[in-house]
Amino acid sequence: MEGRITRSAAAKEAAQLAAATAASIQNASPSGTQNTAMPLKRKTKRNTTVAEPDINELPHNLGRASVPAANDTPGPLSVTTDQVKETKPLVTKGKIDVIKDELQDTVDKATTTLAKIQGGRLKSNNPYGLTPGFSPFPDWLHPTRQECEEVNRLLSSVHGEVIAPATIPEPSLTVTGCGEVPSVLDALIRTLLSGATTGNNSAMAFQGLVQKFGILQDGIGKGSVDWDAVRQAPVKDIFEAIKSGGLAEMKSKRIKEILNMVYEENMQRRDAFLKAKKEGTAEPPGANNETELQKQIEIDRANEHVLSLNHIHSLSNDAAMLELVKYPGIGPKTAACVILFCLQRPCFAVDTHIFRITKWLGWIPSEKVDEVKAFSHLEVRIPDHLKYSLHQLFIRHGKSCPRCRAITGENSEGWEEGCVIDHLVKRTGKRKGAFESAPKAKNKRKSRGKENDDESE
């Protein structure tokens, strides 16, 4: 995998490129965050009796957004606020603005120069052709930091300010959401269920799994569906459990395949830990970022057949992305949602609404771009501290704005209400003010058989 250019290293690498012609650039991926866990209780209890679901249609399927009260403080993804708490400003506001502009220019030049050295091709060993740390459009210098700040401000004025939660809420048994739960495996399956359907349907599908297979009442997996019971069940039983959620035939097969893969990987990691203790051999990936307690918990989970992907907390963002997209039916959007909502790391998931609006804003090229390339580009260009809020705001706006919905035009209902970002967008499509959206992209994805995690319009 190519070395990642982060914003903190871009200035240094740009200087190296200017001083030494075609010097090779390497920059280590950021170390992964450690997750904390409590010791495993050996016995787990199943309970198949749950309260009658109170299922309500969500404004979107991509996790919950927090609207702050007057005394609220931003969560861990609000980088700028945390930095203010930790350090005192050393320069005036005017100088900070100059520095930001200069840093943005440096990142632009460094990215462009690197692409030229490599002949404009950034090869990556993954099924979706992702280019971690690099934009597939190095000459496309939008969005700038200022553009991101302006759109975030304008959309917040209409839809409310969005702040990442400081803690992840306890998992709901009636709402799937898109990964805003403590368990990585839960987040992955919940997100898979929410793909290409409504929030109501995905919630019913998840409720079907709860009713059919029960949940773990204590131990490491407390609050999670008994995923090992799901793994051992025939595909037809999984299908029956989730059939109310849509696309059940395909999703039931993928859930079964994913859980079988997770089981095998859990066993392999357990064996690697035990062998490392006994013979001093290499530990599995991410182990260097885990405590001895966390390693022992992995071993105990595997021994008790409590399926888990929580070791992904110990991986860098890039490694976590590549780890997640290897599972059947899990594409960059689903993986990015898990990273953003469950791992609580900055990551800019791109769905159909975000793809449409960012194209209208000119943040991505209008030609030869799909959602995967858009993700790779926007992940580099959008500042980390705005990824959570812009992700949520674009989805809210894309579903509610009469002028920015999937298919709209001057004769559409509510068009006269206007749009807060109207002066910034250039709407394109088959007819004036219209945009051809989901169907073709979805059909193409289905025919590839790679991923079907688009949300409903």
Side-chain angles (χ1 to χ4, degrees), residues 36 48 77 97 113 161 169 176 188 218 243 270 289 291 294 305 309 324 344 352 356 364 399 437:
T36 57
T48 57
L77 294 185
D97 291 336
T113 306
E161 186 180 4
T176 51
L188 191 69
D218 55 28
K243 64 182 180 182
R270 178 201 65 180
N289 293 318
T291 65
Q294 288 168 333
H305 292 187
L309 285 176
L324 290 168
Q344 292 191 299
T352 55
R356 176 176 68 254
I364 53 178
K399 288 189 173 185
S437 179

Side-chain angles (χ1 to χ4, degrees), residues 397-419:
H397 193 70
K399 288 189 173 185
S400 63
C401 176
R403 296 193 179 193
C404 292
R405 287 195 292 257
I407 300 177
T408 188
E410 294 179 2
N411 295 324
S412 299
E413 182 180 356
W415 182 270
E416 67 281 356
E417 296 175 13
C419 169

Side-chain angles (χ1 to χ4, degrees), residues 6-7 21 85 111 144 180 207 222 269 293 302 360 377 384 427 430 440 445:
T6 61
R7 293 185 182 275
T21 57
K85 289 180 180 178
T111 307
T144 64
E180 207 163 26
Q207 181 65 201
K222 182 180 179 180
R269 288 183 66 86
L293 176 59
W360 286 353
H377 178 73
D384 283 348
R427 297 178 180 87
K430 279 187 172 181
K440 284 190 175 180
R445 185 172 289 104

Side-chain angles (χ1 to χ4, degrees), residues 13-39:
E13 291 178 351
Q16 291 173 341
L17 285 168
T21 57
S24 86
I25 299 174
Q26 291 183 336
N27 183 31
S29 297
S31 60
T33 2
Q34 296 184 10
N35 63 316
T36 57
M38 298 298 293

Side-chain angles (χ1 to χ4, degrees), residues 131-409:
T131 57
F134 303 107
S135 167
F137 310 108
D139 295 325
W140 197 266
L141 305 183
H142 300 281
T144 64
R145 185 186 190 94
Q146 289 76 14
E147 288 170 339
C148 293
E149 296 279 5
E150 181 182 11
V151 170
N152 188 77
R153 177 181 59 80
L154 290 170
L155 294 181
S156 296
S157 69
V158 174
H159 304 291
E161 186 180 4
V162 174
I163 292 176
T167 58
I168 299 176
E170 287 300 313
S172 166
L173 298 181
T174 59
V175 176
T176 51
C178 207
E180 207 163 26
V181 290
S183 163
V184 179
L185 181 56
D186 261 32
L188 191 69
I189 302 298
R190 287 167 184 258
T191 309
L192 177 63
L193 288 173
S194 71
T197 190
T198 64
N200 184 62
N201 285 343
S202 62
M204 288 192 295
F206 185 74
Q207 181 65 201
L209 288 174
V210 172
Q211 295 281 7
K212 180 78 173 177
F213 300 102
I215 60 173
L216 300 176
Q217 293 298 304
D218 55 28
I220 291 296
K222 182 180 179 180
S224 296
V225 173
D226 188 348
W227 295 119
D228 194 55
V230 181
R231 178 185 71 86
Q232 296 184 60
V235 172
K236 65 179 182 179
D237 287 355
I238 304 174
F239 171 84
E240 288 296 324
I242 68 172
K243 64 182 180 182
S244 60
L247 299 176
E249 183 176 357
M250 176 185 62
K251 289 181 180 180
S252 58
K253 291 177 182 177
R254 286 177 171 174
I255 289 172
K256 176 84 170 179
E257 291 171 5
I258 289 171
L259 295 178
N260 280 331
M261 289 175 67
V262 171
Y263 174 80
E264 292 298 329
E265 289 162 7
N266 286 175
M267 293 302 170
Q268 290 169 5
R269 288 183 66 86
R270 178 201 65 180
D271 293 345
F273 278 125
L274 294 175
K275 187 175 181 180
K277 287 184 177 182
K278 185 177 180 179
E279 303 177 11
T281 54
E283 293 183 319
N288 60 317
N289 293 318
E290 292 183 318
T291 65
E292 290 303 315
L293 176 59
Q294 288 168 333
K295 295 174 186 178
Q296 186 59 49
I297 288 171
E298 280 204 58
I299 295 172
D300 292 342
R301 280 198 193 106
N303 287 337
E304 294 294 328
H305 292 187
V306 176
L307 304 190
S308 175
L309 285 176
N310 281 359
H311 65 273
I312 291 180
H313 278 285
S314 66
L315 304 178
S316 68
N317 274 22
D318 292 345
M321 171 63 69
L322 296 180
E323 183 73 7
L324 290 168
V325 297
K326 75 182 183 186
Y327 295 109
I330 305 301
K333 189 193 76 174
T334 297
C337 287
V338 173
I339 292 171
L340 178 66
F341 294 114
C342 179
L343 302 189
Q344 292 191 299
R345 315 259 192 91
C347 197
F348 194 72
V350 175
D351 79 328
T352 55
H353 301 290
I354 295 172
F355 181 66
R356 176 176 68 254
I357 297 175
T358 53
K359 183 180 285 190
W360 286 353
L361 283 167
W363 287 11
I364 53 178
S366 58
E367 303 294 335
K368 298 181 180 179
V369 59
D370 55 24
E371 289 181 20
V372 175
K373 289 181 179 177
F375 162 74
S376 293
H377 178 73
L378 294 171
E379 177 68 4
V380 172
R381 301 293 310 181
I382 294 177
D384 283 348
H385 72 284
L386 293 176
K387 286 176 180 175
Y388 186 96
S389 59
L390 278 175
H391 171 84
Q392 299 273 26
L393 289 169
F394 276 135
I395 293 171
R396 289 186 187 183
H397 193 70
K399 288 189 173 185
S400 63
C401 176
R403 296 193 179 193
C404 292
R405 287 195 292 257
I407 300 177
T408 188

